[in-house]
Amino acid sequence: MSNTSRPQDKTLPMTVQNMGFMLDRLGLDCAPLQYLRELTQNSIEAILSTSEKRGEVVWDVDWTRHTLTDVYKLAVID
């Protein structure tokens, strides 16, 4: 193994000072309901990472929050 450094060894992590702004900008590049697909896909991947590779993804209203605040909030459970 040589002592010469490779370009990828000198790469610095990318940082953002205003993460909220970055997330807003990234959101503009997505379809309006893209977040639903992403949350569902995330749940599927979590289920597939278990040893059983079985489970279910349930979308429902957070009824406790609704009861306390009269505000509907979606909940995804895997």
Side-chain angles (χ1 to χ4, degrees):
M1 182 181 264
S2 72
N3 287 336
T4 60
S5 61
R6 300 173 305 175
Q8 62 267 29
D9 293 335
K10 296 182 185 226
T11 303
L12 298 174
M14 194 167 117
T15 60
V16 175
Q17 187 170 7
N18 186 344
M19 186 60 74
F21 172 78
M22 183 177 141
L23 290 173
D24 288 342
R25 292 296 306 156
L26 289 171
L28 293 174
D29 292 335
C30 296
L33 299 178
Q34 181 72 26
Y35 71 97
L36 297 175
R37 183 236 177 252
E38 297 302 325
L39 289 171
T40 301
Q41 184 64 33
N42 193 29
S43 293
I44 291 168
E45 290 173 7
I47 290 168
L48 293 177
S49 73
T50 66
S51 58
E52 298 86 18
K53 300 199 182 320
R54 293 182 44 164
E56 73 181 345
V57 179
V58 178
W59 281 90
D60 199 359
V61 173
D62 181 342
W63 292 110
T64 302
R65 176 171 293 231
H66 180 263
T67 299
L68 295 173
T69 65
D70 202 32
V71 173
Y72 288 97
K73 179 179 179 184
L74 273 175
V76 59
I77 303 156
D78 54 54

